[in-house]
Amino acid sequence: MNSSEVKPLGQLRRGGKGIISRLGTPEYSSEIIERLMQMGLLEGAQVEIMHEAPFGKDPIAVKVRGSLIALRRHEANAVEVMAHE
Amino acid sequence: MSSSRCLCLALVGNPNCGKTSLFNALTGGKARVGNYPGVTVEKKEGVLVSASGLSLQLLDLPGAYSLDPRTPDEEITRSVLLEAQEKTPDLLIAVADANHLERTLGFILELKSLGKPMVLALNMMDLAQKRGFQIRLDLLSQELGMPVIPTVATKKEGLIELLKQLDENCLSLLSSQSSLSSSLSSPPSSSAAPSSQLRSNQDGDLSSLNASHTDQIRARFTEVDRILKQALLRAPSPALWSDRMDRVLLHPVYGSLILILIFGLLFQAVFSWAEMPKEWIEEGFHTLALTLGQWLPDGPLRSLIVDGVMTGVGSVLAFLPQILLLFSFILFLEDSGYLPRAAFMMDRVMGKVGLHGRAFIPLLSSFACAIPGIMATRTIENRRDRLTTILVAPLMTCSARLPIYTLLISAFIPNTQILGVFRLQGLVLLSLYVFGVFAALAVAFILKRVVFPGPRPALLLELPTYKWPSFKGIGIGLWERCQLFVKNAGTVILSITVILWFLSSYPKPPQGAEGPAIAYSFAGQIGHALEPLVAPIGFDWRIAVALIPGFAAREVMIGSLATVYAVEDQAQSLGVSQFLGERLSQQWSLATALSLIVWYVLACQCLSTLAVTRRETNSWKWPMVMLSYMTALAYASSYVTYHVAVGLGLG
């Protein structure tokens, strides 16, 4: 299927959405991962990129578990999503 | 119950869950605001009276997303809840936004694992119900193992029920305390007994030390999903109006324009709208001082009251219009949900110099005055970011520098036309503003690398659903700000003003002495003593003398220069500034004038800034750091300016 592939969340554009498949790659500290999780970014959760900041399209605002969470693309890349267009 | 101490309750919850509104509703808005020892986090305490008339202490804990200490706020919340202290809360009132249960219940479960008696206030119910939210409260309460009370804190709905519940819990706590048989850690004997399933889950969480932290978070969210699956009949539909507003307010083009518009308005408010009430206050105190002066017999007491105390009180109160206006804006923007969005949009820009997106408002307001600007840094969670912002805020050109700039520019810079449209004087003024901004950003850049090194803290913030701000809440917030300023910073400003008055007035000149009286005072002696120190940057003893009272407030420098150069008497018809300008241009070289201008851009000639920095950082260390680095920077820059100017033949 070419309609769904695993991508880091930080690489999606506005309107991009998917289901979180995995959290954390070795280059991210467990602190970041824990904070992301506490904001609701957990495996199995639906995410959608709602907004991109005006300058440089970074940070981004994602909708997850009914809340709108702002984060930089760098940290968002710690979240892998099964993206579907 | 003879030994019964006052029970202490604590409000805990995520940021933006309406915790502060609930605190205000429960205590009637009467809070004691202070700081936690050693940190910059605000401490709020109040008293609430329960349904049966029990007087209970209520602590408003800073908003947190977890008990892991990652921000100063979370650190405080954690230490109050976990560490044995004088006042460990006996009962927790957890507050959760009913609109965001999916996320917030995770924190509630984490709090529950502490084993303290707990009551959950399910807040913002009105909004949630409008969005179709339906929940079986009995099931939720049973599954969570704690009483759940629906509330609308802003409308005081559900308060009676909450107070009744608190009564029940507190009475049972008091009786268990007096019977000495049970310890505090026993679960509350309230209506809702914890379900056995949840208890075993929680115990499992606590005992399995090898389970990683992330697994614990996962387990909590799995538990949240399980509970909601049972209790939740209908989740709130998406907040469409909020999403619609975001489509405009966070739009790449319109959003940026609106941001600029709002910041422009804020700047305008602090810079010019506050000017009139500020002048009224200053004039009012001037008139009051004059009237008092007529009543009092001539002598040291009159001088102390008129020139010392009244000037001091006046200059403290004169800051209030700016503080009130700026904080009306900030509280409105914060309460409505826009402020975190502004930080989101500005993050990239401020990040270029290593600052947080939220540093923008404090720095912008510092163009008007660093006092409200420094007070506004409270919205920056990260301590290192906040200190950096506080330290560079006074480099932004504040409005108190303008009179000095105007005086020196009109006296020394020819008003020639440049390129047909610009005038040299205007360009010089503009370049002074740019110079200030550049200096602030450069210092911030260096501070972030040298003094506060470390990775840039991650930006991870919730953009809450927009809501109409509560004007009562804003009113209470403004009152707290003013109180804090007048009480803490005000007393320091007043006492130093009186000290400066004393230094400039005593000792009196000997009989038959020539020249201005200030030359014979301690300030004059200090000025003379400082002369060898300031000579390399082109200042003489007169400038040094004038700088001392000018330390009370930058604009006072004009008055003191007029005193030192004894132009007051001749200036009746012309106006002090104009006459003084003429006198200065005869006496000073251009190099000296330029050096003094540069000094004024960079030096910390403002004790109020130092007082408010002490108040906000809770120590004298940071005001001293500020004073030292700014003085060093100003001295070095003035030195270079003076010598380059002399080298160019302007000496």
Side-chain angles (χ1 to χ4, degrees):
Chain A
M1 275 208 293
N2 60 355
S3 66
S4 65
E5 53 176 322
V6 175
K7 265 189 183 174
L9 178 62
Q11 287 184 11
L12 297 186
R13 294 275 136 216
R14 193 154 67 100
K17 51 184 157 185
I19 290 174
I20 300 178
S21 56
R22 201 165 72 101
L23 264 136
T25 42
E27 66 257 44
Y28 291 95
S29 67
S30 59
E31 188 199 313
I32 291 291
I33 303 300
E34 285 161 22
R35 284 187 64 188
L36 290 168
M37 290 171 83
Q38 270 147 355
M39 301 303 261
L41 290 150
L42 288 148
E43 291 92 343
Q46 272 272 1
V47 273
E48 180 178 352
I49 299 197
M50 307 293 288
H51 305 282
E52 291 166 329
F55 312 102
K57 303 197 174 209
D58 190 21
I60 52 173
V62 302
K63 187 143 248 175
V64 63
R65 278 191 166 245
S67 302
L68 193 59
I69 309 291
L71 72 168
R72 299 198 189 106
R73 287 192 186 272
H74 173 73
E75 279 89 29
N77 280 334
V79 180
E80 278 182 4
V81 293
M82 184 75 93
H84 45 83
E85 306 306 320
Chain B
M1 288 222 268
S2 56
S3 66
S4 78
R5 61 201 177 94
C6 185
L7 281 182
C8 178
L9 277 52
L11 276 170
V12 231
N14 287 167
N16 312 310
C17 67
K19 206 165 46 67
T20 304
S21 313
L22 191 60
F23 179 86
N24 288 339
L26 286 171
T27 58
K30 286 190 261 312
R32 271 196 307 150
V33 187
N35 268 56
Y36 286 97
V39 287
T40 50
V41 179
E42 199 167 87
K43 180 181 193 174
K44 263 173 99 174
E45 276 178 297
V47 173
L48 86 93
V49 181
S50 78
S52 71
L54 272 177
S55 188
L56 306 165
Q57 215 174 18
L58 184 64
L59 195 61
D60 187 14
L61 289 178
Y65 288 108
S66 79
L67 289 177
D68 302 319
R70 287 187 190 120
T71 65
D73 285 17
E74 286 180 342
E75 236 166 80
I76 286 296
T77 302
R78 177 193 169 87
S79 77
V80 170
L81 290 175
L82 290 181
E83 284 160 28
Q85 284 177 334
E86 249 183 282
K87 269 191 246 165
T88 315
D90 303 292
L91 173 83
L92 302 185
I93 308 173
V95 190
D97 178 354
N99 300 278
H100 293 108
L101 280 188
E102 256 192 289
R103 201 196 64 241
T104 56
L105 276 188
F107 183 46
I108 307 296
L109 289 179
E110 188 178 3
L111 287 171
K112 188 184 179 303
S113 67
L114 297 176
K116 280 185 193 293
M118 250 172 104
V119 174
L120 176 65
L122 201 55
N123 199 26
M124 306 199 187
M125 275 300 273
D126 53 343
L127 226 114
Q129 277 166 345
K130 255 187 225 159
R131 290 167 61 183
F133 169 77
Q134 280 178 350
I135 197 158
R136 290 273 307 269
L137 285 169
D138 53 338
L139 280 178
L140 183 65
S141 163
Q142 188 191 323
E143 291 298 327
L144 285 173
M146 64 184 80
V148 178
I149 314 286
T151 56
V152 184
T154 47
K155 295 179 188 160
K156 301 204 170 190
E157 281 171 30
L159 279 196
I160 295 171
E161 292 80 359
L162 182 61
L163 287 173
K164 261 191 204 149
Q165 184 60 52
L166 293 178
D167 224 22
E168 210 175 292
N169 284 52
C170 290
L171 286 173
S172 78
L173 265 176
L174 285 172
S175 66
S176 69
Q177 265 181 8
S178 58
S179 68
L180 286 168
S181 56
S182 51
S183 68
L184 267 176
S185 58
S186 71
S189 53
S190 61
S191 52
S195 78
S196 55
Q197 192 185 356
L198 183 68
R199 279 211 64 76
S200 63
N201 249 343
Q202 288 298 322
D203 292 344
D205 267 359
L206 288 174
S207 60
S208 55
L209 286 168
N210 53 349
S212 74
H213 203 91
T214 46
D215 284 340
Q216 287 180 27
I217 303 173
R218 276 191 195 99
R220 275 200 292 271
F221 275 99
T222 314
E223 179 64 9
V224 169
D225 287 339
R226 191 191 65 77
I227 292 173
L228 287 180
K229 209 169 179 182
Q230 296 202 16
L232 190 66
L233 300 175
R234 234 188 106 186
S237 53
L240 289 177
W241 81 93
S242 193
D243 288 349
R244 233 172 268 149
M245 277 177 78
D246 269 340
R247 239 168 274 159
V248 181
L249 292 176
L250 292 183
H251 187 275
V253 180
Y254 310 132
S256 322
L257 289 177
I258 293 168
L259 183 79
I260 293 168
L261 197 77
I262 290 178
F263 283 159
L265 204 65
L266 183 146
F267 177 68
Q268 179 73 12
V270 189
F271 197 78
S272 60
W273 301 350
E275 206 45 44
M276 250 213 295
K278 188 179 173 209
E279 272 168 28
W280 293 338
I281 291 174
E282 279 168 346
E283 265 168 41
F285 269 87
H286 189 64
T287 319
L288 197 63
L290 286 181
T291 323
L292 270 175
Q294 285 172 347
W295 280 73
L296 291 163
D298 199 4
L301 181 70
R302 186 176 91 170
S303 176
L304 169 68
I305 291 176
V306 174
D307 302 324
V309 178
M310 294 302 278
T311 317
V313 175
S315 63
V316 170
L317 295 182
F319 285 117
L320 285 183
Q322 287 178 332
I323 292 173
L324 278 171
L325 267 168
L326 176 67
F327 277 94
S328 310
F329 265 91
I330 290 182
L331 290 169
F332 184 91
L333 295 178
E334 178 97 68
D335 225 23
S336 62
Y338 186 76
L339 206 55
R341 287 166 168 88
F344 164 74
M345 287 189 271
M346 291 305 297
D347 184 69
R348 195 65 186 272
V349 179
M350 299 307 285
K352 291 261 187 272
V353 287
L355 285 175
H356 191 280
R358 292 207 168 189
F360 191 74
I361 288 187
L363 292 184
L364 183 78
S365 0
S366 297
F367 273 122
C369 176
I371 309 300
I374 288 171
M375 288 171 76
T377 59
R378 260 162 201 274
T379 52
I380 305 169
E381 300 98 349
N382 183 277
R383 197 182 107 87
R384 293 177 299 151
D385 277 13
R386 182 161 175 227
L387 282 174
T388 309
T389 313
I390 289 177
L391 286 176
V392 303
L395 286 172
M396 309 300 270
T397 298
C398 66
S399 54
R401 285 173 170 107
L402 258 182
I404 297 277
Y405 287 174
T406 324
L407 171 74
L408 295 179
I409 287 176
S410 58
F412 288 93
I413 309 291
N415 202 14
T416 40
Q417 249 181 6
I418 290 180
L419 298 174
V421 263
F422 303 109
R423 297 217 163 242
L424 186 60
Q425 289 188 345
L427 283 180
V428 170
L429 184 64
L430 179 70
S431 64
L432 293 180
Y433 272 83
V434 175
F435 183 26
V437 174
F438 180 77
L441 296 182
V443 172
F445 187 83
I446 294 164
L447 282 176
K448 285 294 284 184
R449 265 152 201 79
V450 181
V451 186
F452 309 111
R456 194 172 173 218
L459 173 102
L460 201 54
L461 83 171
E462 187 188 354
L463 306 181
T465 314
Y466 289 105
K467 68 182 171 68
W468 194 245
S470 128
F471 286 99
K472 203 178 158 202
I474 293 179
I476 292 171
L478 284 179
W479 172 240
E480 287 169 4
R481 288 283 144 273
C482 291
Q483 254 185 318
L484 278 176
F485 174 74
V486 172
K487 255 196 238 160
N488 298 318
T491 43
V492 176
I493 297 173
L494 178 59
S495 29
I496 303 185
T497 313
V498 171
I499 293 172
L500 286 177
W501 159 82
F502 178 78
L503 290 179
S504 324
S505 316
Y506 290 93
K508 294 282 175 210
Q511 209 107 71
E514 287 195 6
I518 193 173
Y520 297 92
S521 68
F522 290 119
Q525 293 168 21
I526 296 170
H528 278 290
L530 284 178
E531 192 166 22
L533 214 61
V534 294
I537 57 174
F539 296 179
D540 62 1
W541 69 270
R542 290 189 193 83
I543 300 178
V545 171
L547 283 175
I548 295 167
F551 192 65
R554 288 185 174 90
E555 65 269 30
V556 171
M557 170 88 175
I558 293 188
S560 48
L561 274 177
T563 314
V564 184
Y565 283 93
V567 296
E568 272 175 332
D569 307 331
Q570 301 116 305
Q572 302 291 345
S573 53
L574 267 167
V576 174
S577 273
Q578 200 181 337
F579 201 85
L580 181 61
E582 275 174 29
R583 173 67 63 91
L584 295 183
S585 61
Q586 293 156 12
Q587 300 225 347
W588 292 355
S589 68
L590 182 56
T592 295
L594 290 176
S595 171
L596 184 62
I597 290 178
V598 169
W599 175 269
Y600 252 81
V601 173
L602 301 168
C604 189
Q605 281 283 128
C606 177
L607 73 93
S608 307
T609 302
L610 296 172
V612 87
T613 303
R614 197 215 82 80
R615 150 91 199 90
E616 291 294 315
T617 59
N618 227 358
S619 90
W620 278 108
K621 180 182 166 193
W622 296 110
M624 287 303 117
V625 169
M626 179 186 276
L627 180 63
S628 330
Y629 100 78
M630 288 180 77
T631 308
L633 187 65
Y635 192 89
S637 307
S638 288
Y639 184 88
V640 172
T641 310
Y642 182 68
H643 285 272
V644 168
V646 170
L648 291 173
L650 306 170

